[in-house]
Amino acid sequence: METASQHFDPRTFSIKLWPPSGSTRLMLVERMTKNLSTESIFSRKYGLLSKEEASENAKRIEDACFAAANEHFNKEPDGDGSSAVQLYAKETSKLMLEVLKRGPRPKEDGEVTVVGESRPLGKTVFDISGGRRAFIDAEEARELLSPLTEKGDLYTKICFSNRSFGIDAATVAEPILTSLKKQLKEVDLSDIVAGRPEDEALEVMRIFSLALEGCVLRYLNLSDNALGEKGVRAFGALLKSQNSLEELYLMNDGISEEAAKALNELVPSTEKIKILHFHNNMTGDEGADAISQILKRSPALEDFRCSSTRVGSEGGIALSEALEACTHLKKLDLRDNIFGVDAGIALSKTIGKLVGLTEVYLSYLNLEDQGAIAIADALKQSAPSLDVLEIAGNEITAKAAPALAECVVSKQFLRKLNLSENELKDEGAVLIGKALEGHTQLKELDLNTNMIRRVGARCLVQAVSSKPDFVLLNINGNAISEEGIDELKEILKASNKSVGVLGPLDENDPEGEGEEEGEEEAEGEEGTAGDEGELESKLQELKV
């Protein structure tokens, strides 16, 4: 048993859609080249690009879009890369359309030159975030930002992240940014004052804010700047001038109650916002109430993240009720807060109305059985396209398992289900396993640390063993006997699945019996095998 798992690296089996392989990138360039050089309605109107011209542009488009998507992925390393892939595809399509509409450009002698030779597509994104994290002075800023001063550039996105600007460096950047403000669409100023004294940091923020005031931005990232209320107000001129924002990121920014109120005051229009992230702040209940006012003005919101923000029951109820206005919501992440049962019930009432949800992250919210059942019942009636459900660490017992199982049965597009760190035991595991039998798209299932023994584990393995794309069943931290683990491996081998699908089992306790359950059943000399046999006979007739 130990040999199969001792060298296992759990990351080997996690699903990572980003970055794409070299062959995938090359294939994309080839497809773009073909599309750009094939006759179409655009070529008839604007002219047809030669294969050489199309190839050159395709390479530049792919390079620029890969850089932008890779930067996006690095900002959210805990994700699976799907949002980076979407950005990669979206940006390549957009830039291809620009090339097609621009058409081939004639040389002076009448020949056609490569599109973008004088205005290279690679210059649509300016990014200095790579390399070591460091302070920069005025001289370094002048050198780093010099490409932005070149005439005829096409920069629409700038990223200054990972470089700490002092006042002298910000003063160098100010006129450059001012000259670009009419063309900029995306601005990333995350982590730009690290290690600076508060007064200097606030002045740098004000300089950037005034320089960019009036930009018509669709994307703004101010994360990792320890803003607090003073920082939010230092960016006031920039925030007040934004009426077309589609994405706003304020993660790890010390967004307190006062800072949240300042945001509600300073952001004038959120009607177009699709992505709003407040991860890892100190918002609390009062701050959540201020954020809820922003939500009520955000009817187009598709992705809301308010995880690890110290929000309790009152704030959770306020957010839940405000989310009713966000009828286009697809992704909801409220992990690691202190909602409790009442906020869970309030959230369930809203979730029942959000039919477009595809990803729901509700782990570590103290939902308990009552809150979990309410949410499961609500999801059962909505979100038909749900593909990710995480509800780990909520003190959920086998009592809530029937409701969860009914919810799972109705979600045939599920590819990831996380119920870890609960108390479902074998009874709950069997119900979940049976509920997943017909889910052909499932890739990951996590029920680690759930007091599961051999019977429940076997049912879970049987449920996933026939799924073609399944990659990881995490049942670590349970109490599965050595014989039980051997049986699980045999089931996988018989289904032509790698035993690696089981993931690590280093925290499994073969001698354990599931804490309280084990203590109650420890009397007598029949041992684990007898207990499991009795339990299995009781569970055989269970149906979902």
Side-chain angles (χ1 to χ4, degrees), residues 98-154:
E98 289 180 5
V99 170
L100 289 168
K101 287 184 176 181
R102 190 179 300 124
R105 291 181 179 174
K107 292 182 179 179
E108 291 183 359
D109 59 3
E111 295 180 1
V112 174
T113 188
V114 175
V115 174
E117 192 168 291
S118 61
R119 294 167 64 88
L121 285 170
K123 289 189 175 183
T124 58
V125 178
F126 179 79
D127 187 350
I128 60 171
S129 64
R132 63 186 181 88
R133 193 166 183 258
F135 280 49
I136 59 172
D137 57 24
E139 183 179 349
E140 290 172 305
R142 195 170 290 109
E143 181 180 353
L144 277 173
L145 305 183
S146 60
L148 291 174
T149 63
E150 297 176 4
K151 293 182 179 180
D153 62 69
L154 295 173

Side-chain angles (χ1 to χ4, degrees), residues 75 133 161 188-194 205 221-227 249-254 279-281:
K75 296 298 180 183
R133 193 166 183 258
S161 181
D188 186 341
L189 298 179
S190 60
D191 195 19
I192 59 166
V193 290
M205 294 176 195
N221 191 342
L222 302 178
S223 301
D224 301 305
N225 283 313
L227 296 178
Y249 299 86
L250 294 156
M251 300 183 288
N252 193 30
D253 264 337
H279 170 68
N280 196 28
N281 284 298

Side-chain angles (χ1 to χ4, degrees), residues 355-357 379 381-386 410-413:
V355 296
L357 284 172
L379 280 174
Q381 305 299 330
S382 66
S385 300
L386 190 71
S410 68
K411 306 304 169 196
Q412 291 296 310
F413 296 102

Side-chain angles (χ1 to χ4, degrees), residues 175-350:
I176 298 174
L177 293 177
T178 300
S179 69
L180 297 173
K181 67 168 58 180
K182 290 184 179 180
Q183 66 192 61
L184 290 175
K185 300 298 179 185
E186 302 183 28
V187 170
D188 186 341
L189 298 179
S190 60
D191 195 19
I192 59 166
V193 290
R196 302 287 181 178
E198 181 181 288
D199 290 346
E200 182 178 22
L202 291 172
E203 182 59 27
V204 169
M205 294 176 195
R206 279 190 284 268
I207 291 172
F208 280 127
S209 176
L210 290 170
L212 293 168
E213 181 182 9
C215 283
V216 183
L217 300 178
R218 61 162 298 278
Y219 170 103
L220 178 61
N221 191 342
L222 302 178
S223 301
D224 301 305
N225 283 313
L227 296 178
E229 181 187 8
K230 293 180 181 178
V232 170
R233 294 195 180 280
F235 276 116
L238 174 59
L239 291 170
K240 283 182 178 179
S241 67
Q242 298 309 304
N243 293 294
S244 300
L245 275 180
E246 295 180 18
E247 300 182 36
L248 177 60
Y249 299 86
L250 294 156
M251 300 183 288
N252 193 30
D253 264 337
I255 302 297
S256 60
E257 170 190 339
E258 294 77 14
K261 290 179 179 178
L263 280 171
N264 184 36
E265 169 194 335
L266 293 172
V267 181
S269 174
T270 57
E271 292 181 358
K272 296 182 180 180
I273 283 188
K274 295 180 180 180
I275 301 177
L276 184 60
H277 283 196
F278 286 102
H279 170 68
N280 196 28
N281 284 298
M282 46 193 292
T283 310
D285 283 349
E286 294 296 327
D289 186 64
I291 292 174
S292 70
Q293 301 307 312
I294 297 176
L295 292 177
K296 291 176 181 178
R297 306 193 305 270
S298 307
L301 192 64
E302 296 179 3
D303 180 348
F304 179 58
R305 186 179 186 186
C306 194
S307 50
S308 303
T309 49
R310 307 184 190 181
V311 176
S313 181
E314 291 183 9
I317 292 172
L319 289 175
S320 299
E321 293 176 347
L323 283 167
E324 287 189 16
C326 307
T327 54
H328 293 87
L329 200 65
K330 296 178 181 179
K331 182 177 179 180
L332 176 62
D333 187 348
L334 299 171
R335 285 175 286 187
D336 191 24
N337 283 299
I338 323 165
F339 276 30
V341 173
D342 290 343
I345 293 173
L347 181 60
S348 72
K349 296 176 182 177
T350 295

